[in-house]
Amino acid sequence: MKALFKILLIIGLTCANANTKQNLNINQVDILQSLDIPQNFTHTSYYKDMKKSITKRQIDDFVRVLRAGYKYIPILKTSVKSSGLPEPFFYLAMVESGFSNKVVSNAKAAGIWQFMAVTAQAHGLKIDKYVDERRDPIKATNAAAKYLKGLKSQFGKWYLAILAYNCGDGCLRKAIRNAGTDDLTTLLDPNAKYLPDETRRFIIKILRASIIAKDSEFILSRDANILSTQGQKLTRVSVPGGTTLKQVGDSVGLSVKRLKEENTHLNYAFTPPNSKNYHIYLPESKLSIFNENFKPIQSNNKFYTYTVKKGDTLLNIAKTSGVSHKAIKEYNELQTSIISINQKLIIPRSDRNKIQSYVVQNGDTLEILSKRFNVAIKDIKEANALASNDVLAIGDNIVIP
């Protein structure tokens, strides 16, 4: 009886393994078909070598990158799916940046999708002194989808869109012209070198990542849950332009440092002051408390850029601009009061902080100027760093807050 049970158990396990392998093979074919790659590509040395390279170390590296980018995965997977891109394009972002919004390539490509500035702006992303939307996970993904669809329309196949995304459409057109075909196996020929080495490796890396995600060892691991769109999510909220992250953070109980990590598309710790409204990202768990506690401040605040000159100190700049020392540090994310020549500082400016230059005339006193401009004597003295016994001299340049 025991012998019979063992035989049945072995048969059952064998069938299970066979079914698992069969399902994996079907998944691999589906991956190729989704990218318009012919099924016979599985018989090439490129594909076989790629399959052999999937070791435990490769799977561990795959998991490590997923763990590092876990907070972006729900956004990216949802955006890729809703945009109509094949699933493997999710792994294009993984290969490009490791799901890091802070990566900048030697060629100055930035963000999860590693956009060059010109390409990003051509597809609707804003890049200025206040924001770099290449680092905005939703807007950049939508722009990447638009770009990739355009490449697909131009070349007719998804795998060609991947190649063009890496090397450029001009480079790919030249490669196809030289090869006399757009066949992937031919284009990957390492001896003919129709494509740059990096581009040939690029598509293989995307295929390998897509296949690892369907690998039985990975699927059975607890880390497979990271790929679920049900994980920790970021949510987008709208706030007035010029809103500081500190204002938002105080309303939801998060530090400016934490919010800055979630909003790497902001160049400073505030939203663009030249926009009526702008969006920031919060952990979804904070949405209800944000809606309850955050009180938007609609103001006409504007900002200007000040270039530090020789002899400037943060205190003097604060007095001259009429903006508090603390506010300048906050807006520029300064940890100390140390500043350097030619450093650019963002100075917030509002009606109550407006100043004007004034040249002291014969007979002027602090009391006379106080009455003339309806400004308290102490405010004039503070703005000009005057001591209590300072006397105004004819011809002196002072500021009136």
Side-chain angles (χ1 to χ4, degrees):
M1 190 69 179
K2 286 184 179 179
L4 179 60
F5 176 76
K6 287 183 178 179
I7 292 171
L8 291 174
L9 180 61
I10 291 171
I11 292 173
L13 290 173
T14 302
C15 291
N17 287 335
N19 287 333
T20 300
K21 288 180 180 178
Q22 184 178 7
N23 289 334
L24 289 174
N25 287 333
I26 291 172
N27 285 329
Q28 290 164 20
V29 170
D30 287 345
I31 290 168
L32 297 180
Q33 287 180 342
S34 72
L35 295 176
D36 301 318
I37 299 174
Q39 186 173 341
N40 61 13
F41 184 71
T42 58
H43 302 303
T44 66
S45 60
Y46 312 120
Y47 188 82
K48 291 175 181 177
D49 289 344
M50 179 268 293
K51 288 293 299 297
K52 287 178 183 177
S53 72
I54 300 177
T55 61
K56 184 179 183 305
R57 180 180 176 183
Q58 285 283 356
I59 295 174
D60 289 344
D61 287 343
F62 178 82
V63 169
R64 176 181 52 77
V65 175
L66 287 181
R67 287 174 178 170
Y70 75 97
K71 65 184 176 184
Y72 294 122
I73 287 173
I75 284 179
L76 293 174
K77 291 209 78 174
T78 301
S79 296
V80 166
K81 184 176 181 179
S82 63
S83 68
L85 293 177
E87 185 181 355
F89 281 96
F90 169 76
Y91 300 102
L92 184 153
M94 184 184 200
V95 171
E96 279 282 18
S97 64
F99 298 133
S100 171
N101 248 330
K102 298 179 180 179
V103 172
V104 179
S105 73
N106 293 333
K108 305 301 181 186
I112 289 176
W113 294 91
Q114 288 291 280
F115 269 116
M116 296 293 289
V118 173
T119 308
Q121 290 170 323
H123 290 84
L125 298 181
K126 184 187 295 184
I127 302 173
D128 59 26
K129 66 181 177 181
Y130 298 116
V131 298
D132 186 342
E133 291 182 343
R134 292 178 294 177
R135 295 188 172 93
D136 183 311
I138 290 181
K139 295 196 76 170
T141 302
N142 292 340
K146 182 179 177 182
Y147 181 34
L148 285 161
K149 285 179 178 179
L151 293 172
K152 164 68 159 53
S153 177
Q154 184 180 161
F155 292 102
K157 297 169 184 173
W158 281 120
Y159 73 82
L160 294 173
I162 290 176
L163 297 175
Y165 191 93
N166 182 261
C167 70
D169 54 351
C171 174
L172 181 58
R173 277 195 297 271
K174 181 180 177 181
I176 293 172
R177 186 169 61 249
N178 291 340
T181 178
D182 64 5
D183 174 63
L184 180 59
T185 303
T186 304
L187 291 173
L188 292 181
D189 189 333
N191 298 315
K193 295 187 177 180
Y194 297 118
L195 292 168
D197 291 348
E198 179 189 340
T199 305
R200 296 198 304 272
R201 290 194 299 268
F202 185 66
I203 192 166
I204 294 299
K205 287 177 181 178
I206 293 170
L207 290 174
R208 180 166 57 211
S210 302
I211 289 171
I212 287 176
K214 308 293 185 183
D215 183 88
S216 58
E217 184 174 339
F218 172 74
I219 289 173
L220 295 174
S221 73
R222 61 177 183 173
D223 294 300
N225 291 329
I226 301 175
L227 283 176
S228 168
T229 56
Q230 303 305 311
Q232 180 180 343
K233 297 180 182 178
L234 295 176
T235 188
R236 186 161 65 172
V237 297
S238 179
V239 298
T243 299
T244 67
L245 293 183
K246 187 175 188 306
Q247 289 173 265
V248 178
D250 287 346
S251 73
V252 298
L254 291 176
S255 67
V256 172
K257 181 180 179 183
R258 170 69 187 279
L259 283 176
K260 198 72 172 76
E261 289 174 354
E262 312 292 17
N263 293 276
T264 50
H265 61 297
L266 298 179
N267 292 337
Y268 298 96
F270 54 85
T271 56
N274 53 355
S275 298
K276 182 178 180 181
N277 292 292
Y278 198 74
H279 63 275
I280 64 169
Y281 293 98
L282 295 173
E284 193 173 59
S285 59
K286 295 291 185 179
L287 181 58
S288 60
I289 190 172
F290 169 83
N291 291 333
E292 183 178 344
N293 290 345
F294 179 71
K295 307 300 180 189
I297 302 173
Q298 295 289 350
S299 68
N300 294 320
N301 279 9
K302 295 182 179 179
F303 296 67
Y304 65 94
T305 304
Y306 178 80
T307 303
V308 177
K309 300 176 177 60
K310 185 176 181 180
D312 279 343
T313 66
L314 203 59
L315 184 58
N316 284 340
I317 293 171
K319 289 178 178 178
T320 302
S321 64
V323 179
S324 75
H325 173 272
K326 181 180 179 182
I328 295 176
K329 287 183 69 175
E330 177 185 319
Y331 276 87
N332 291 276
E333 300 179 81
L334 301 177
Q335 301 301 313
T336 70
S337 296
I338 298 173
I339 54 177
S340 56
I341 296 174
N342 294 325
Q343 180 178 351
K344 294 187 184 301
L345 298 175
I346 297 294
I347 309 293
R349 177 173 55 200
S350 67
D351 289 340
R352 67 177 180 274
N353 287 334
K354 282 184 178 177
I355 61 172
Q356 55 185 307
S357 296
Y358 180 77
V359 179
V360 177
Q361 308 295 314
N362 185 26
D364 281 342
T365 65
L366 287 173
E367 185 176 1
I368 288 173
L369 295 180
S370 170
K371 291 178 180 178
R372 182 183 303 167
F373 294 103
N374 193 28
V375 178
I377 291 176
K378 67 179 181 62
D379 290 337
I380 298 176
K381 290 169 67 174
E382 182 180 334
N384 293 277
L386 298 174
S388 58
N389 58 350
D390 277 354
V391 177
L392 298 177
I394 297 173
D396 276 357
N397 283 297
I398 64 171
V399 293
I400 308 296

